[in-house]
Amino acid sequence: MSSNFYQDNPDLKFYIEKYIDWDPLVELTEYKFQTKDGFKNVKDAVTFYKGIMDSVGEIAAKEVAPNAKQIDIDHLTLENGEVKFPPVLQKIFDKIKKLDYYGMCMPYELGGMNCPFLIFMMSNELFARGDVSVTAHYGFHGGMAMAMLFFSIIEGSTTFDRENFQIKQTRFSEFITEIIEGKAWGSMDITEPSAGSDMAALTTRGFQDEKGNWFVSGQKIFITSGHAKYHFVIARTEESESTDSFSGLKGLSMFLVPAYQEDKKGNRIKLASFDSIEDKLGHHGSATVSISFDKTPAYLIGKRGDGFKLMLRIMNNARIGVGFESIGICEAAYRMAKKYASERQSMGKTIDQHEMIADYLDEMKTDIQGIRALAVKSAYHEEMGQKINLLLTYFAPEDKKELKSLQSQMEYHQKAARAITPLVKYIGAEKAVEIAKRCIQIHGGYGYIKEYGAEKLLRDAIVLPIYEGTSQIQSLMAMKDNLMGILKDPGGFFTKNLQAHWKNKSSHNKLERRVAKLQLLSYSTLQFLMSQLAGKKFSDIRKKPVTEWGSFFKTWDPKKDFALAMLHAERLTKMVCDVAICDLLLEQSMKYPERQEILERYLERAEPRVRYLYTEIRTTGNRLLQRLSKKQDKTNRNT
Ligand SMILES: Cc1cc2nc3c(=O)[nH]c(=O)nc-3n(C[C@H](O)[C@H](O)[C@H](O)COP(=O)(O)OP(=O)(O)OC[C@H]3O[C@@H](n4cnc5c(N)ncnc54)[C@H](O)[C@@H]3O)c2cc1C
């Protein structure tokens, strides 16, 4: 067994040591090196980050991974309404607390280490390679403390000391300190028994008394680390005005709700009740809790009715987090399978020398490298977008040119993060399941036996395409973003198309030509979907150039008119993931020739996949849509 999950991973080290453009990120993170306690240059800061990665890599390898089996056996229990951690888990969480890693990316002035979000995300990967449920609980400390600060900044209740470049005051500072010190943690409470993906159906209520104090009542289920002290609760404060289910989202508000508080003697006074802890297929070290609120005092965040918008803003971080968790599981499964295959003999040789198994292992490794490229990029863009936004909010430059440049940089990063994040969540989660299943297959019968650990990885992986927005919901988001992108800027789409054509025909770089060919297939698929949308209504559109499409769409009803695109959303997402990964690996290989081999491996697999998806999208779906449409017509007639 490896003694350090960071040091034994050259692909991960490549990002920290070569690829990441640290200068702008560190400069923003360290407020241009003007803080009293912070680093004074990029080099020192990056050396510190490397130290953190090394330390987390060691804990994950020496203390988490060797205990993964025990964590899986020792379920968490609910005793007298309180969740108890088994000793093996408690020891790990005590260690994380001792090292102050719960405040890894919180600012110095709030007691944190002020590391970039990217480092926190990468630490999630390392812990997840040891045991993914440890990552889940660890993430609900730092992640929720960040959310408290983030929401407070958005609603304007955080002030900055402009001279010392530090936060003067933030609304939830006491709670943040408790979390950073490892004395409490938080959770995100959205799901209810009758509302998961369909948030418009949420029924938990937020209401005020005559003095204006807020309370929430209702039940939330399946809440990760839901035995937390601090709960972000999405609750309904306004009735929906129309029968359209999407309008229900406008009536949701975001609250911070403490589930208990302590009296002067330190006794716990319950404000909400933890009803049950779920008995799950995997993730046995992470508590999944049902919680009931009954007129529980709550803090409204932002304005009433802003709940869904606020949730979307924080959800990006969580989805990127699941992407990194997924990579951790993939890495564990690949390495376990590789080791076993190099030792197990069959028909005169080790099984890794059998063609099919060698092919599996090669594909597993290639996929992991591709997903990591995407995940690192999404975390980087998300963080840069958020930090430039912060800079503009509190330290906007007076110089107009500088201001404009910062604004356009922010938009660039935000747009890129928004485009990549659903892809990272989708492809990471799906591949974690596929790779964990392959790990079992490579182990043969031993894979199915608990003692060997391969089956645990599949049990742990299988929830990744479900929580933080299912794979289907990610696909719908990716599809919508892609099609809306064309609607908003048909000219831009046309230009991208032309550029890809040009590269495909005339680039001197063969790999660039191949990547451009994939881009063309994805653009052609998008164009096909657009032209098929609302076929009857706008049959003319097919004859028009794409630059003239904009005016057609003003009268569209997305839910009715996008049926074919919704049907193919997952296929389109798979295609867009492959193209995005190839783009990134191409960019890497141009700067770092040693990465070219990874792109070649990835392209070899992506090319037939994309061609297949292209054909599938163009040739299937209509029969099913006709059937669904007939059924809908019948329902409409009967109501
Ligand atoms: C271990 C675990 C931890 C969790 N942690 C949290 C947490 O911390 N906080 C929290 O709030 N929730 C949490 N959840 C809940 C999780 O987010 C939901 O289960 C998930 O969002 C799906 O909701 P649902 O279970 O109601 O399924 P449904 O929404 O009923 O979906 C069922 C199926 O239908 C599909 N579907 C639904 N609508 C559409 C559509 N429009 N188009 C296509 N397909 C669709 C879904 O993709 C899915 O395949 C957790 C769940 C688990 C299992």
Side-chain angles (χ1 to χ4, degrees), residues 140 187-198 220-225 280 282-283 286 288 463 465-473 476 566:
F140 275 86
S187 65
M188 179 58 84
D189 305 10
I190 303 167
T191 308
E192 295 176 7
S194 303
S197 309
D198 184 6
K220 296 286 180 181
I221 61 165
F222 302 162
I223 306 304
T224 301
S225 299
K280 309 188 293 286
H283 280 240
S286 159
T288 308
V463 77
I466 296 174
Y467 65 23
E468 295 297 353
T470 64
S471 283
Q472 292 67 41
I473 298 299
L476 289 176
M566 296 222 231

Side-chain angles (χ1 to χ4, degrees), residues 458-495:
L458 182 61
R459 284 189 288 109
D460 281 346
I462 221 151
V463 77
L464 301 176
I466 296 174
Y467 65 23
E468 295 297 353
T470 64
S471 283
Q472 292 67 41
I473 298 299
Q474 303 309 311
S475 302
L476 289 176
M477 285 178 68
M479 180 275 292
K480 188 174 151 230
D481 279 355
N482 273 282
L483 296 189
M484 285 314 217
I486 303 176
L487 292 182
K488 278 190 197 146
D489 183 13
F493 179 67
F494 183 66
T495 311

Side-chain angles (χ1 to χ4, degrees), residues 97-109:
K97 177 174 162 175
K98 198 168 149 214
L99 291 166
D100 289 334
Y101 289 168
Y102 288 134
M104 190 180 282
C105 57
M106 293 303 287
Y108 301 118
E109 57 273 30

Side-chain angles (χ1 to χ4, degrees), residues 85 97 102-103 137-138 140-142 144-145 148 174-187 225 227-231 258 260 262 268:
F85 286 116
K97 177 174 162 175
Y102 288 134
H137 187 58
Y138 160 73
F140 275 86
H141 287 76
M144 292 301 124
M148 287 179 185
E174 273 176 45
F175 307 163
I176 290 173
T177 306
E178 262 184 279
I179 293 180
I180 290 177
E181 289 176 355
K183 294 178 185 153
W185 58 89
S187 65
S225 299
H227 53 318
K229 183 168 184 185
Y230 297 110
H231 294 244
Y260 58 85
E262 283 89 17
R268 199 176 268 200

Side-chain angles (χ1 to χ4, degrees), residues 555-596:
T555 55
W556 275 36
D557 172 355
K559 271 174 281 138
K560 279 194 207 134
D561 300 330
F562 279 54
L564 187 72
M566 296 222 231
L567 185 142
H568 287 305
E570 185 163 5
R571 295 187 182 101
L572 180 71
T573 304
K574 283 183 187 165
M575 192 183 229
V576 175
C577 283
D578 271 340
V579 175
I581 288 172
C582 288
D583 264 348
L584 288 173
L585 293 176
L586 176 68
E587 178 206 310
Q588 291 181 11
S589 72
M590 283 176 162
K591 195 160 173 206
Y592 305 99
E594 72 271 23
R595 304 289 288 179
Q596 194 170 309

Side-chain angles (χ1 to χ4, degrees), residues 374-417:
L374 203 61
V376 170
K377 201 73 174 174
S378 71
Y380 187 82
H381 283 308
E382 179 65 27
E383 179 162 23
M384 287 297 290
Q386 284 184 19
K387 287 191 165 157
I388 297 175
N389 191 9
L390 197 68
L391 191 73
L392 287 171
T393 310
Y394 293 100
F395 303 100
E398 279 168 21
D399 180 69
K400 283 209 174 113
K401 218 166 136 197
E402 202 186 331
L403 183 71
K404 216 169 156 205
S405 152
L406 274 174
Q407 278 162 342
S408 72
Q409 283 177 49
M410 181 182 75
E411 278 160 27
Y412 160 74
H413 288 296
Q414 287 176 338
K415 204 170 152 201

Side-chain angles (χ1 to χ4, degrees), residues 323-336:
F324 278 94
E325 269 181 19
S326 305
I327 300 172
I329 292 194
C330 291
E331 196 73 59
Y334 165 65
R335 285 168 188 260
M336 189 188 282

